[in-house]
Amino acid sequence: MNDDDFLFRSREGENKPISRVRAYQLLTDVAKKVGLEEIGTHTLRKTFGYWHYRQHKDIALLQELFNHSAPSVTLRYIGINQDAMDASLETFYL
């Protein structure tokens, strides 16, 4: 793919993206088929943040990407809880 190509291209016109509404429709249809509820386009954003954090451990970068006011907001947003943070620090307490 080229940098200016859309991942989900519309059938209407050349190199135009699908609409936000269509993306939501596709996601919810697939979610229902596999037994998931309460999934939408925002779920993709949160999931990206969660896995990006797990791979890179760079909360400052995610905070800026998401335009959050504080790292604590970003951690709460992506679902990293205190238990996970404590477990990651256990090796330092040996």
Side-chain angles (χ1 to χ4, degrees), residues 5-89:
D5 287 342
F6 293 101
L7 185 58
F8 301 105
R9 207 175 316 159
S10 174
R11 293 183 194 179
E12 301 173 11
E14 279 200 33
N15 205 27
K16 290 186 178 180
I18 61 174
S19 70
R20 198 169 20 131
V21 171
R22 184 65 183 136
Y24 176 79
Q25 291 169 338
L26 290 169
L27 284 171
T28 55
D29 286 349
V30 171
K32 286 178 188 175
K33 289 178 182 178
V34 296
L36 296 175
E37 296 178 14
E38 298 182 27
I39 191 169
T41 53
H42 204 76
T43 308
L44 298 176
R45 185 175 190 251
K46 286 183 165 189
T47 302
F48 161 77
Y50 176 82
W51 287 107
H52 188 281
Y53 177 76
R54 294 279 308 259
Q55 184 174 359
H56 300 286
K57 304 291 192 239
D58 190 347
I59 199 63
L61 176 60
L62 277 177
Q63 176 188 342
E64 188 164 334
L65 285 171
F66 289 148
N67 198 28
H68 288 162
S69 60
S72 60
V73 173
T74 304
L75 287 170
R76 185 173 58 244
Y77 179 77
I78 63 174
I80 302 295
N81 60 28
Q82 190 63 47
D83 292 341
M85 290 186 286
D86 291 346
S88 72
L89 296 174

